[in-house]
Amino acid sequence: MCGIIGYAGSGGDSDTLEVLLHGLGNLEYRGYDSAGVAVANASLSIEKRGGELSELKDALAGNADGFDGSTGIGHTRWSTHGPPTDANAHPHTNAEESVAIVHNGIIENYLELREELSEAGHTFRSDTDTEVVPHLIERERAGGADRETAFREAIGRLEGSYAIAAVYPDCETVFAARHESPLVLGLGSDGNYLASDVPAFIEFTNRVVYLDDGEFAALSPESVTVSDGSGAPIKKSVETIAWDPEDAGKSGYDHYMRKEIAEQPRAIRDCLRGRIEELGGTVTLPELEGLETPSSVQFVACGTSYHAGLYGERLLQRRGIPTQTFIASEYDAARLPVDESTLVVGVTQSGETADTMAALRSANRAGATTLALTNVVESSAARECDHVLYIRSGPEISVAATKSFASQQVSLSLLATALVDSASSAAFPPREYLRELRRLPDHIQSVLDDSRADAVAEEFLDADAYFFIGRGYNAPVALEGALKLKEITYKHAEGFPAGELKHGPLALVTESTPVFALVSSREQAGATIGNIKEVQARDAPVVAVTDDPESVANHTDYVLEIPETHPAVMPIVANVQLQLVAYWLANALDRPIDKPRNLAKSVTVQ
């Protein structure tokens, strides 16, 4: 959600605009509806446009004069305050254009500040909350403050969340600050970078510094300094990112989503590597050393990660640990039984999801032990929680999560096994269960090689709505299947536990409502087949996703087969078929699969 790129370069003035546009292109996956850049030289050269990045590039193609400074900032905006117009696009300036600002997050007291500044004679040209910042800086400058002091004083007036970067005319420094919105610095050989996410500059450098809340940064072509709110310098560690720039490319696929679906066998191998000992039936997670078996577990998450949490909840409950899953925006630890023996797990691909971060902070205040289950090293969640377990899925560019969901499911399987001594568990005999986890990549590869999901998608292209049902471990994947389809096709879809069909949703079932049923040969198959018969009696077509095609062949119109495996592992494999159905349906409808309307990859506002 929104993207920032900044650059202070030593490689030649003509490189700056190219670096900014390239960075914005790499950040398109985050979701946006307008874009803009500002380059500092003797004055500020600014261009911004509502719409896609291509519109900004078209505008610059005929008017790039003046964009030859060595320092600049760029932004892709996801609208919160005001529609996606040229005026509301970032960067924002004061009337004299003596400073330009880009901002991610929400300034909660902007109306109060805007009224204060308007009464002092400042004129505003946009609907955004961000525009108060350059006017605050202008007022500090008019009072005699230098550039850095004016920036700090302005930031000190803000309430809410922000990652902010600023440039001035006749100045080769980019000034930046963060609070509850991600910002990372890149240390390059031909200049220095800042961005809301590493992919913005990964082609130029893999040496990064992560800013923490309340920290300020100043980037020049030759140096980077980080300081606290009082200006005292802070010594930061430099991390080396292991991602290869080519990992963020499409590798010949038409869409990132299709590529990332195909990457799931590799992602799961990376997730499992070094963590399981199949012969002894043990899981080793050194990063969780010292974490004792909790009295209870609470998952907090949003969207796809919430569905992963529901899956993890079932794994832990079957192992005897009381577990609940909460939509993060609804979580308040002060209202719940939470103490030091409670483990609160934040499931978040980016590690920056604002609602999940707020829930984790609530849990920390209540004294709970917190664990981040995340994909991004040194993300906010990773740094603020007591423990972190990385899912190791690699960069995921498409807004619709695919391989990260699979890696979250596998990571939760490992976590549940590590937390509980399952040696005597009939439901999870350790050697069998870990063997099936090890076989997962091969099982998923067989689905990728043999799936008929494209033909099923073509058959139901004109359906009125799509229902997804499953029981037990499969119920969360039914929810995820519906979410994936609605995200990228814009078609109505619902997912729910199979038993809920007769408690309301059955009223909506017609011959134009295909029902996708997840049926496990070893987990309540008979009950789910009963639900299938209920919809068939209403003339609804049924697609079974199953490891036992013979048991459902007489009750369904189509079968999407998966290899037989442990019932707790089956949903990870079955979900791949549902991902492919959603993908091929969206492809046939010519939807913008990687960048669905109104959605963002990393949601950093509440």
Side-chain angles (χ1 to χ4, degrees), residues 69-104:
S70 62
T71 303
I73 51 177
H75 191 265
T76 50
R77 175 178 183 254
W78 190 83
S79 297
T80 53
H81 297 73
T85 62
D86 293 356
N88 288 332
H90 296 215
H92 287 288
T93 70
N94 59 323
E96 291 76 20
E97 296 191 349
S98 59
V99 62
I101 294 289
V102 292
H103 163 231
N104 290 354

Side-chain angles (χ1 to χ4, degrees), residues 94 108 190 244 260 284 312 327 346 359 456 497 518 538 554 575 585 592:
N94 59 323
E108 295 174 358
D190 59 352
D244 188 310
E260 287 157 6
T284 303
I327 293 174
V456 171
L518 291 96
R538 278 79 181 173
N554 295 329
N575 186 61
L585 188 59

Side-chain angles (χ1 to χ4, degrees), residues 155-218:
I155 298 300
R157 293 295 311 279
L158 306 181
E159 298 175 6
S161 62
Y162 52 79
I164 292 180
V167 291
Y168 297 90
D170 283 324
C171 179
E172 290 190 331
T173 302
V174 181
F175 298 96
R178 82 153 268 176
H179 178 67
E180 296 183 0
S181 193
L183 206 55
V184 58
L185 313 179
L187 312 182
S189 58
D190 59 352
N192 296 301
Y193 306 80
L194 67 83
S196 45
D197 207 352
V198 170
F201 54 68
I202 191 63
E203 287 94 341
F204 305 113
T205 181
N206 64 351
R207 299 176 64 244
V208 304
V209 171
Y210 294 94
L211 289 187
D212 290 311
D213 284 352
E215 293 182 344
F216 290 76

